[in-house]
Amino acid sequence: MHSFRFGVHASIAPTMATWRDQARKAEDLGYSTLYVADHLGAQFGPLVATTVAAEATSTLNVGTVVLNNDLRNPVVLAKEIATLGLAAEGRVEVGFGAGWLPSDYAQAGIEFDGAGVRVDRLAESLDVMTALWTTGEATSTGSHYTLQGARCEPRPESPPRVIVGGGSRRVLSVAARHADIVGVNTNLARGLNAGELTGQAGVDHYDRCLGWIRDAAPDRFDSIELQLMAFATKVVGSSRAAARTATMLGLAGDDALDLPIVLIGTVDELCDRLQDYRKRWGFSNIVISGDAMETFAPVVARLAGT
């Protein structure tokens, strides 16, 4: 089993000075990574924000969960991430996804292709970027990218750790073959009511997803770090308060507390629950929202590195 480590997911702050302070606070509290999302709404640009956070810290990893592959050319993106790796002195975990939010495509004026096309394009892009980071050059005559003698210099001594996340067999199979860290997600785009959560994020969903990952990469499965991103996180003083908090969030009380993406409970309960998740599925990389960073810190202090 991989040791526990914890990440913080945040994408904006009132000022850049506040953003630097938030990165330093995450580092001081024992979090391993600060992750930034990639959407065209009200948030920082992820590559600049991660660079600023890296410059403000000395041990904190920085990264993305996840960059929309369709918003950037892979040769250009590989160059930017290589430069981030130099600025962060290797403290980079970069996440990639096939894109899922239609409004991002509408704002950018990009065709929102079917899921199969987007996932295939992501796989080609990962091949290109991996070649650029490992050998410094790439040539491709794929279905989506045709390039000759692309180069990536300068680049850090080691390639960034790659994250690919998703909740379908197709994207998780790509993740299993390409990623160092695989994020097992669920689709919450249609709503956040308890019925949808139960159907999309229950234990059966995670059983299926882990089976798909094993099937796609049996020889490297044990080396993959598995990532779980919490949808709702809150440390409370009692089990009764946990159920009440879930209900206030529009979730189904006690039933919602059994969902892996809902981390609401006492410190003891959350530690026990996360150890159960690691034992059953292998989740050791746990990501919480930035607004829960300080209250969740006792769980990090108890489990990180164990």
Side-chain angles (χ1 to χ4, degrees), residues 218-236:
D219 294 339
R220 65 185 302 265
F221 180 81
D222 289 342
S223 69
I224 295 172
E225 187 179 21
L226 295 169
Q227 184 182 80
L228 178 68
M229 181 175 290
F231 160 68
T233 308
K234 190 174 182 62
V235 176
V236 296

Side-chain angles (χ1 to χ4, degrees), residues 30-87:
Y31 291 90
S32 72
T33 312
L34 175 61
Y35 294 110
V36 183
D38 182 29
H39 294 296
L40 297 180
Q43 68 154 87
F44 291 144
L47 295 177
V48 173
T50 50
T51 303
V52 171
E55 289 285 285
T57 56
S58 59
T59 62
L60 185 73
N61 290 355
V62 297
T64 56
V65 284
V66 291
L67 294 174
N68 181 342
N69 178 67
D70 287 341
L71 296 182
R72 300 169 186 83
N73 177 279
V75 176
V76 177
L77 183 55
K79 181 79 165 180
E80 294 296 319
I81 292 170
T83 303
L84 172 60
L86 293 169

Side-chain angles (χ1 to χ4, degrees), residues 8 26 37 45 52 94 125 136 139 170 189 194 202 228 232 237 239 243 253 269 285 292 295 298:
V8 173
V52 171
V94 60
S125 179
T139 295
R170 192 161 194 164
L228 178 68
S239 299
E269 288 171 341
N285 183 327
T295 58

Side-chain angles (χ1 to χ4, degrees), residues 22-276:
Q22 186 170 349
R24 295 186 187 108
K25 174 63 74 172
E27 183 176 56
D28 291 343
L29 291 174
Y31 291 90
S32 72
T33 312
L34 175 61
Y35 294 110
V36 183
D38 182 29
H39 294 296
L40 297 180
Q43 68 154 87
F44 291 144
L47 295 177
V48 173
T50 50
T51 303
V52 171
E55 289 285 285
T57 56
S58 59
T59 62
L60 185 73
N61 290 355
V62 297
T64 56
V65 284
V66 291
L67 294 174
N68 181 342
N69 178 67
D70 287 341
L71 296 182
R72 300 169 186 83
N73 177 279
V75 176
V76 177
L77 183 55
K79 181 79 165 180
E80 294 296 319
I81 292 170
T83 303
L84 172 60
L86 293 169
E89 298 178 321
R91 295 178 285 126
V92 176
E93 301 172 21
V94 60
F96 301 96
W100 64 272
L101 189 62
S103 62
D104 285 338
Y105 288 79
Q107 289 188 61
I110 298 172
E111 185 72 21
F112 188 52
D113 292 321
V117 173
R118 286 181 279 120
V119 173
D120 288 347
R121 191 158 48 225
L122 170 64
E124 277 193 31
S125 179
L126 289 168
D127 284 336
V128 169
M129 290 186 285
T130 299
L132 288 168
W133 292 325
T134 54
T135 70
E137 60 182 81
T139 295
S140 175
T141 56
S143 301
H144 302 284
Y145 302 104
T146 299
L147 48 103
Q148 183 69 40
R151 299 195 61 80
C152 183
E153 296 291 346
R155 52 198 167 91
E157 292 184 7
S158 300
R161 298 193 73 197
V162 170
I163 307 167
V164 178
S168 71
R169 182 169 198 154
R170 192 161 194 164
V171 74
L172 286 174
S173 296
V174 170
R177 294 190 294 267
H178 288 84
D180 304 293
I181 303 166
V182 175
V184 182
N185 304 327
T186 187
N187 180 11
L188 300 176
R190 292 180 302 163
L192 303 177
N193 64 68
E196 287 180 331
L197 281 171
T198 301
Q200 296 179 40
V203 295
D204 290 346
H205 171 76
Y206 289 95
D207 287 342
R208 284 192 299 272
C209 288
L210 268 295
W212 294 333
I213 298 168
R214 284 184 184 275
D215 290 345
D219 294 339
R220 65 185 302 265
F221 180 81
D222 289 342
S223 69
I224 295 172
E225 187 179 21
L226 295 169
Q227 184 182 80
L228 178 68
M229 181 175 290
F231 160 68
T233 308
K234 190 174 182 62
V235 176
V236 296
S238 68
S239 299
R240 180 176 297 180
R244 185 167 60 247
T245 300
T247 300
M248 290 172 62
L249 291 173
L251 307 174
D254 290 336
D255 291 340
L257 300 180
D258 294 329
L259 301 176
I261 59 171
V262 177
L263 294 178
I264 301 174
T266 68
V267 171
D268 288 342
E269 288 171 341
L270 292 174
C271 289
D272 289 344
R273 208 176 299 161
L274 289 173
Q275 288 171 323
D276 288 342

